[in-house]
Amino acid sequence: EIMGIILKQTTGEWKDQTRWQFKQLVGQAVLPTDDAPSLSVGSPESVGMSSERLDRIDRICEEAIADNAVPGTVALVVKDGKVVYHKAFGKADNVANRDLKKDDIFRIASQTKAITSTAVMMLWEEGHFKLDDPISKWIPEFKEMKVLKDFTYKDNTYTSVPAKTQITIRQLLSHTSGIGYGVIDPHEGMRLLYKEAGIQEFAVQHELTTAENIKRLAKMPLHFQPGEKWQYSMGLDVLGYFIEVVSGKSFDAFVKERIFDPLEMNDTYFHMPQSKASRLVKVQYPEGDQWMHQPVTSHDPAYPLTGFTGFCAGGAGLSSTAIDYAKFLQMYLNNGSYNGHQLLSPTTIESIMGNQIGDLWKGGPKHHGLAFAVVNDRGQDVGGEGSVGTFDWGGYFNTQYFADPEEGVIGILFKQTQGTWKDQTGWQFRQLVGQAIDN
């Protein structure tokens, strides 16, 4: 129950933005009414979970390692702010025979996106912009975009048509902008164009700033007219640069100050210090019955220890630990609060979790919000996905997470692999966490 009134006495004032800013700021001023737990260790039974059933997670992790499906994994479960399961299995580096530890650091790739989205929404709460503003107001290179029509592979040329509308901030957050995704783009022609333009998704080993990369991206054609389809994209990379423009700070400095420090995410970085190099898990791939280090391909797996520090990929650039990422997710379960810090308003979180893509995933078990995929009624009924409102995503190097607000449960499963399709632990883990709830 809230009321807001703003009174003015003017005519002919078209520069006035206070109406929407006032309404936006009133909404974000709403605070949670319940206690907001910080993470601490607790017994499963103390929060309504079964120790015996959680131990089933041991089996799937050990079997996956024995079957050569993964070299190692860190699994973490939180219930009502209590860490009730946190174990490491297997190796962090099979070549060096180094055991995996619970506090080891993983490249979380696309799990970066939710953190970037959170940073965007923190600035939105301050009234800097509306979600349906065109991104060109801050990055003018996106003002006159083209949409791909035909591609000729013999010379990598293409035809295009003008975009009917400009790309909005909301579309960048929800992957409906039409922007592509370089080396993982489903369109071969788009992959070739991005490579020729020197566009980088993460792990830049030469001098290239975030701004330069995004301005190159703005010259690429779109897959489709903005807002007409859903296509996984570099939209969050654009928003990483957008955060720099709006805040006047480097992207990594902004998220450290506004997210990582308040949440005490002390092992989360775009660029890791060398002092923590021994904790970085190797990216490995299977060769016969052996696990080998991933070689340099479209990226150098030595990142985040190496690379140009003037570049931060808002879509895929972070490294972190399971416990750090659990703090971030717990903040969402706490309606935006953690450890005495209010990062987001509950009303903002409601918008973040809302369906932003309409029927573009028609009939699916989830919708896409402003930061996550979110389980709907069908997803709950299918089973194994969690309650309605459970939100999730994953990362390119085989990391997964989910958080169930109804049950107060977080599940995180971190691995570092490429080139293996035998791994079934992702869905198994989520299923086993759900069946261990006993409240």
Side-chain angles (χ1 to χ4, degrees), residues 32-89:
T33 56
D34 54 350
D35 293 333
S38 300
L39 294 186
S40 60
V41 177
S43 70
E45 282 71 24
S46 70
V47 288
M49 295 197 83
S50 164
S51 297
E52 181 180 356
R53 284 173 169 260
L54 280 173
D55 286 343
R56 294 174 181 176
I57 297 170
D58 293 21
R59 176 183 57 80
I60 65 164
C61 294
E62 291 165 354
E63 287 179 355
I65 293 166
D67 192 38
N68 240 31
V70 294
T73 183
V74 170
L76 183 146
V77 181
V78 175
K79 176 76 162 70
D80 297 337
K82 299 295 184 183
V83 178
V84 296
Y85 184 98
H86 190 191
K87 296 182 181 182
F89 301 87

Side-chain angles (χ1 to χ4, degrees), residues 144-147 160-165 225:
E144 296 181 2
M145 299 299 290
K146 305 289 185 181
V147 178
S160 63
V161 297
K164 297 175 184 176
T165 59
Q225 294 289 343

Side-chain angles (χ1 to χ4, degrees), residues 64-239:
I65 293 166
D67 192 38
N68 240 31
V70 294
T73 183
V74 170
L76 183 146
V77 181
V78 175
K79 176 76 162 70
D80 297 337
K82 299 295 184 183
V83 178
V84 296
Y85 184 98
H86 190 191
K87 296 182 181 182
F89 301 87
K91 302 293 182 181
D93 182 348
N94 286 50
V95 175
N97 197 33
R98 182 172 85 80
D99 289 339
L100 190 61
K101 298 178 181 179
K102 293 189 297 184
D103 68 344
D104 275 346
I105 298 172
F106 293 74
R107 300 157 192 80
I108 62 171
S110 286
Q111 291 188 208
T112 305
K113 290 178 170 65
I115 291 172
T116 303
S117 299
T118 300
V120 169
M121 296 308 292
M122 293 171 81
L123 290 171
W124 175 83
E125 285 191 335
E126 295 173 4
H128 292 287
F129 54 87
K130 294 181 285 187
L131 290 177
D132 294 314
D133 281 340
I135 190 65
S136 63
K137 288 181 66 175
W138 292 269
I139 311 175
E141 287 80 3
F142 284 95
K143 189 170 186 179
E144 296 181 2
M145 299 299 290
K146 305 289 185 181
V147 178
L148 183 67
K149 185 180 179 183
D150 297 300
F151 189 89
T152 303
Y153 286 95
K154 66 179 180 180
D155 57 5
N156 292 352
T157 59
Y158 64 91
T159 61
S160 63
V161 297
K164 297 175 184 176
T165 59
Q166 292 199 40
I167 295 170
T168 68
I169 296 164
R170 188 188 305 274
Q171 290 164 350
L172 293 168
L173 287 165
S174 60
H175 300 284
T176 57
S177 67
I179 290 173
Y181 215 140
V183 295
I184 64 169
D185 199 283
H187 191 292
E188 183 183 356
M190 199 73 82
R191 294 198 298 271
L192 292 170
L193 291 175
Y194 276 52
K195 183 177 181 179
E196 287 182 355
I199 295 167
Q200 302 294 310
E201 292 89 352
F202 57 91
V204 171
Q205 300 298 314
H206 56 279
E207 191 167 323
L208 175 69
T209 66
T210 306
E212 290 168 341
N213 194 54
I214 298 308
K215 290 175 182 179
R216 291 179 184 181
L217 180 63
K219 296 177 182 178
M220 295 294 99
L222 303 176
H223 275 280
F224 48 81
Q225 294 289 343
E228 290 190 356
K229 298 179 182 180
W230 188 92
Q231 171 71 56
Y232 202 44
S233 76
M234 288 183 68
L236 274 300
D237 295 86
V238 176
L239 290 172

Side-chain angles (χ1 to χ4, degrees), residues 104-109 112 202-205 252 267-283 294 299-313 316-321 397 416:
D104 275 346
I105 298 172
F106 293 74
R107 300 157 192 80
I108 62 171
T112 305
F202 57 91
V204 171
Q205 300 298 314
D252 53 347
D267 290 317
T268 303
Y269 303 96
F270 282 105
H271 305 285
M272 270 180 64
Q274 290 295 322
S275 61
K276 297 186 178 183
S278 63
R279 293 169 56 197
L280 183 63
V281 182
K282 288 289 187 182
V283 180
Q294 185 194 20
H299 63 274
D300 187 342
Y303 102 94
L305 288 168
T306 63
F308 181 59
T309 57
F311 179 91
C312 296
L318 284 172
S319 58
S320 189
T321 62
F397 297 105
Q416 291 282 264

